Amino acid sequence: TAITVGVGKAAKQGVLIKDAETLERLKDVNTLLVDKTGTLTVGKPKVTDAFWSEEITEEVKGAFLFAEKQSEHPIAKNIVSYLAEQGILASLSENIKTIPGKGISFDYNDKAFFAGKLDDEPLEDSFRHAFKTLQNKEATIVVLKAGDKTLGLLGLKDKVKNEAKKAVNNLLEAGIDVFMLTGDNEHTAKQVSDELHLSGYFSNLLPQDKAQIVEEFIAKGKTIAMAGDGINDAPALAKAHVGIAMSTGTDIAIESAEVTLLHGDISKISDAIRLSKQTVKTINQNLFWAFFYNVMAIPVAAGILYPINGFLLNPMIAGGAMAFSSVTVVLNSLRLRLKKA
């Protein structure tokens, strides 16, 4: 009864919990690992700067636009919007492939192109200054390459969610460590971590790296909740003790998680943990009073007082007392609805 009330109350507060076991397990979480883009940040990074090679053509930019259109990643969607605003028309590109955690590759006019994460500083002197500029702005950097030749650098900035700082503070005050896992570069990751006063962060991660970090924390004896919204987060969500997905994220992330936050509101994580503790506390109260009540009442109903004072409990009264025991448990469980989570 307590679990039914707890799950129902969580749903009313915008937290969908798949099963009773998850609700109980949430109370033990002492470490939250959280994705950046779309979880701590709004997930709509805007292109703030673009640097292009003098050799790049409008057609190649169009092929870049067409390839990015095939991706569901928030960065890809905003690159498409930016290029469209610049008046770039899509050119048909082929063999478009997603490289998890890195970007996309595609072919155009029999040439191979790559667009995605920049792992290191470009070799060309013409882009060194641009790279430093984007680094200093703590922007997410996307590179466009034709083979080994750099054709463009794009810098994108994302806003931290309004509720993120309060959410992190609530978790830290509750004794829960919060670490950020991101595929983004070191500079951007540090800026977000410092702004939110996180316990720490890990940058330049691939999907398998996130899952490995979850396993490492578990090996240290931590009870882990992982929060994320993208395809890249799915392996880590599945590995964690409790996977928490944003309803604004991808279907595979939601499917991999046990908890879904409506509207992507991460402030609900601390509410869910607190509700879990309240629910388990109510279960323990119900068990204690049910056992205590029955341990005291059953001997009386069995006639233990008869040799002493001739008292026998009327079976109808005993039946009513038994029913009252069940009613007490239900009423105590319903008190959960009145508690502030």
Side-chain angles (χ1 to χ4, degrees):
T1 306
I3 288 171
T4 301
V5 174
V7 171
K9 184 175 181 180
K12 286 183 179 179
Q13 294 178 342
V15 182
L16 303 183
I17 299 174
K18 284 187 178 179
D19 52 47
E21 186 180 356
T22 298
L23 180 61
E24 292 185 72
R25 199 184 300 134
L26 270 167
K27 79 179 191 308
D28 298 319
V29 169
N30 52 34
T31 304
L32 174 68
L33 305 180
V34 59
D35 172 51
K36 180 179 76 70
T37 305
T39 306
L40 289 175
T41 64
V42 175
K44 296 181 179 178
K46 301 292 183 184
V47 177
T48 57
D49 300 272
F51 301 91
W52 302 105
S53 165
E54 294 180 357
E55 301 174 20
I56 195 169
T57 64
E58 296 293 292
E59 289 74 19
V60 170
K61 289 183 182 179
F64 177 34
L65 184 154
F66 183 87
E68 291 287 10
K69 267 189 174 181
Q70 316 311 310
S71 173
E72 293 185 1
H73 197 283
I75 288 178
K77 290 180 180 179
N78 285 281
I79 289 175
V80 169
S81 298
Y82 170 77
L83 292 173
E85 288 169 5
Q86 302 302 306
I88 303 299
L89 299 177
S91 304
L92 183 63
S93 49
E94 301 175 326
N95 297 326
I96 301 168
K97 296 178 182 176
T98 299
I99 306 170
K102 289 184 175 291
I104 58 171
S105 63
F106 61 94
D107 294 341
Y108 179 70
N109 277 354
D110 297 324
K111 287 185 179 179
F113 294 84
F114 168 79
K117 187 166 69 173
L118 181 65
D119 290 327
D120 206 348
E121 186 174 344
L123 298 176
E124 295 90 341
D125 291 338
S126 57
F127 280 99
R128 288 185 184 276
H129 178 70
F131 176 76
K132 289 295 183 185
T133 299
L134 296 177
Q135 255 194 343
N136 293 336
K137 289 185 176 182
E138 296 171 336
T140 297
I141 303 173
V142 173
V143 63
L144 174 63
K145 284 178 170 264
D148 293 330
K149 186 173 182 59
T150 303
L151 296 179
L153 287 180
L154 299 178
L156 299 94
K157 292 282 284 183
D158 199 2
K159 287 173 57 180
V160 170
K161 287 181 178 178
N162 293 330
E163 66 271 18
K165 193 162 190 177
K166 182 180 178 182
V168 171
N169 285 340
N170 288 341
L171 289 164
L172 293 175
E173 287 174 3
I176 298 170
D177 294 324
V178 184
F179 292 87
M180 180 175 69
L181 309 184
T182 179
D184 215 333
N185 63 69
E186 166 77 15
H187 291 78
T188 304
K190 186 177 187 306
Q191 181 263 324
V192 173
S193 178
D194 290 346
E195 182 177 347
L196 295 176
H197 305 293
L198 301 177
S199 307
Y201 65 90
F202 300 85
S203 60
N204 293 307
L205 300 178
L206 298 175
Q208 59 267 32
D209 296 331
K210 292 184 179 183
Q212 184 177 346
I213 289 171
V214 170
E215 290 178 338
E216 289 172 359
F217 271 97
I218 291 174
K220 293 176 184 176
K222 303 291 186 180
T223 302
I224 303 298
M226 170 69 196
D229 74 326
I231 294 172
N232 292 345
D233 302 314
L237 290 170
K239 291 280 186 184
H241 292 109
V242 179
I244 303 173
M246 309 295 114
S247 65
T248 51
T250 60
D251 290 342
I252 190 171
I254 294 171
E255 184 63 30
S256 300
E258 291 83 24
V259 177
T260 302
L261 304 182
L262 298 183
H263 315 299
D265 186 355
I266 64 167
S267 65
K268 299 298 182 184
I269 296 176
S270 56
D271 292 343
I273 292 172
R274 190 158 50 246
L275 180 59
S276 171
K277 291 178 179 179
Q278 291 174 353
T279 302
V280 173
K281 182 179 179 181
T282 300
I283 291 171
N284 291 334
Q285 289 172 348
N286 289 344
L287 285 170
F288 172 79
W289 287 111
F291 274 104
F292 178 80
Y293 185 87
N294 282 282
V295 166
M296 296 297 291
I298 288 173
V300 175
I304 195 173
L305 297 178
Y306 183 75
I308 302 171
N309 57 14
F311 177 78
L312 283 174
L313 192 61
N314 187 299
M316 289 188 292
I317 296 176
M322 189 66 240
F324 180 73
S325 170
S326 299
V327 170
T328 302
V329 167
V330 172
L331 291 176
N332 189 47
S333 297
L334 292 176
R335 283 194 317 120
L336 266 175
R337 295 191 301 176
L338 305 177
K339 290 185 178 179
K340 183 180 177 182

